[in-house]
Amino acid sequence: MKNTLVSSIILISFVLNACRNQEAKLQKVQTNSQYEVNHSASTFSDSLKYPLNVILMIGDGMGLAQIYAAMTANKGNLHLQRCKYIGLSKTNSADDYITDSAAGATAFACGKKTKNGAIAVDTAGKPMPTLLEMAIKEGLATGLVTTCAITHATPASFIAHQPSRDMYEEIAADFLKVPIDLFIGGGIKHFKNRKDKRDLTVELAQKGYQIALSEQELQAFNTGKIAALLADEHIPSIGKGRNQNWLQNATKKAIQILSQNPEGFFLMIEGSQIDWGGHANDANYIIEETLDFDRAIGEVLNFADKTGNTLVIITADHETGGLTLNGGDLKTGEVHVAFTSHDHTAIPVPVFAYGVGAENFAGFYENTAIFTKILELLGLE
Ligand SMILES: [Zn+2]
């Protein structure tokens, strides 16, 4: 009797809460930024088994609802739909049912689950080699592109080794220890305005990097090593003035530089702010950032088509916001959404794969399997 009463109270408060949440959070949104997608068949050869290049694209916080909201806003079209092979990734971290971006990216970068907040170190704090570091050892060119600070959890987990994602200055200093070819993002202050008074941009220049502090400077470089730090902290959101082609242009530049290496390349591209739209429960923010990420996806898939030797993987570290879609219209692009959380959720996220070796990404697996599959396909050890 007592138990029934307790469960009824829990149920009633749950329903009341859910109703309140829904009323508070139901948003009807529509976006003006529409674009065309060419769905014509890809031209890469199915006979190649191993790719020369791998491009890993991470939409931070990009679950299926985020994808479909963006697809609806763009009237039923995304470049993402060009991918023929789709899998599901289970995202929990070593110490939590719900991962953060540090543990999530470490799973992709190192193939091991770690504690939330850890940057490419194991649960005991020991550094683990990353895909990017292994690729360098095998002679591949490497790069990181992001719309947040380059020292933020997702890009950091491919190059730095620190017990906490908040150690931005230590993470920035780790960029000096790994001979990465190119990185594009924000976060100048963690390189220049430091407690230890080092100016890491000077040290990077001494190591042969060309330093770009604006998009114009970045676009002027056509070869060689590049460190592009294009904001003091994060690159602004699309809503706050980031150029709609920012990520697409950065992606294009990264590919232009890295593809000059005959041994191939590994490139990670992050659409960072889909996650922040989720945390803010702001549907417009999510949709604008997801569409922006999808325009970069289009750029990457076109490169894979043109070269025929590239594998592209597009996934997320986790879902953010517990987003659901309660209604919408594919003709007008209107979407009705509701959120169940201001944080990340545990729901598995889709993995889209395209190009050489893409068939290996069908199935339901741990996020760490993405590392293992890439490692195997690139023949890295
Ligand atoms: Zn987040």
Side-chain angles (χ1 to χ4, degrees), residues 19-174:
C19 292
R20 209 175 309 135
N21 280 345
Q22 200 144 333
E23 272 167 34
K25 289 171 183 169
L26 184 70
Q27 299 172 19
K28 292 188 181 184
V29 289
Q30 215 168 355
T31 173
N32 299 320
S33 58
Q34 266 131 23
Y35 54 88
E36 300 283 317
V37 173
N38 178 1
H39 291 282
S40 62
S42 57
T43 49
F44 57 84
S45 148
D46 275 337
S47 60
L48 259 182
K49 227 178 140 210
Y50 298 101
L52 183 69
N53 315 309
V54 171
I55 303 175
L56 173 60
M57 303 185 72
I58 304 173
D60 202 305
M62 188 183 73
L64 203 50
Q66 283 78 359
I67 292 169
Y68 199 61
M71 189 168 149
T72 306
N74 201 38
K75 302 185 177 165
N77 268 319
L78 287 182
H79 290 291
L80 201 51
Q81 291 163 265
R82 291 159 63 184
C83 298
K84 277 193 288 183
Y85 296 97
I86 297 164
L88 285 172
S89 161
K90 190 169 152 287
T91 66
N92 67 288
S93 66
D95 67 340
D96 205 312
Y97 186 60
I98 297 178
T99 190
D100 81 323
S101 294
T106 298
F108 300 145
C110 306
K112 294 254 161 52
K113 302 236 184 206
T114 192
K115 291 187 208 166
N116 282 358
I119 302 291
V121 296
D122 66 15
T123 51
K126 195 173 149 254
M128 300 187 282
T130 73
L131 257 180
L132 185 140
E133 292 165 324
M134 293 175 189
I136 291 172
K137 276 201 183 123
E138 294 292 320
L140 276 78
T142 55
L144 297 171
V145 174
T146 184
T147 51
C148 62
I150 198 74
T151 46
H152 210 245
T154 305
S157 298
F158 287 84
I159 192 161
H161 303 276
Q162 296 296 342
S164 165
R165 58 183 290 168
D166 300 328
M167 299 166 71
Y168 293 121
E169 296 188 3
E170 290 80 358
I171 290 168
D174 279 353

Side-chain angles (χ1 to χ4, degrees), residues 44-45 48 50-54 265 303-311 355-356:
F44 57 84
S45 148
L48 259 182
Y50 298 101
L52 183 69
N53 315 309
V54 171
F265 67 85
F303 172 78
D305 272 347
K306 202 172 75 198
T307 53
N309 57 13
T310 300
L311 167 65
V356 180

Side-chain angles (χ1 to χ4, degrees), residues 239-303:
K240 295 227 166 96
R242 184 170 87 244
N243 170 347
Q244 286 224 357
N245 300 319
W246 190 98
L247 186 58
Q248 197 179 347
N249 289 344
T251 296
K252 206 171 178 173
K253 179 54 70 177
I255 291 174
Q256 181 209 329
I257 300 289
L258 300 179
S259 62
Q260 293 170 24
N261 181 22
E263 305 286 313
F265 67 85
F266 170 75
L267 169 63
M268 192 288 295
I269 300 163
E270 185 197 24
S272 321
Q273 300 193 28
I274 301 164
D275 177 59
W276 302 350
H279 284 292
N281 283 186
D282 181 338
N284 242 324
Y285 195 171
I286 291 174
I287 289 171
E288 291 289 2
E289 293 294 330
T290 306
L291 290 176
D292 182 61
F293 187 54
D294 187 62
R295 286 188 289 268
I297 291 170
E299 191 67 43
V300 167
L301 299 186
N302 290 347
F303 172 78

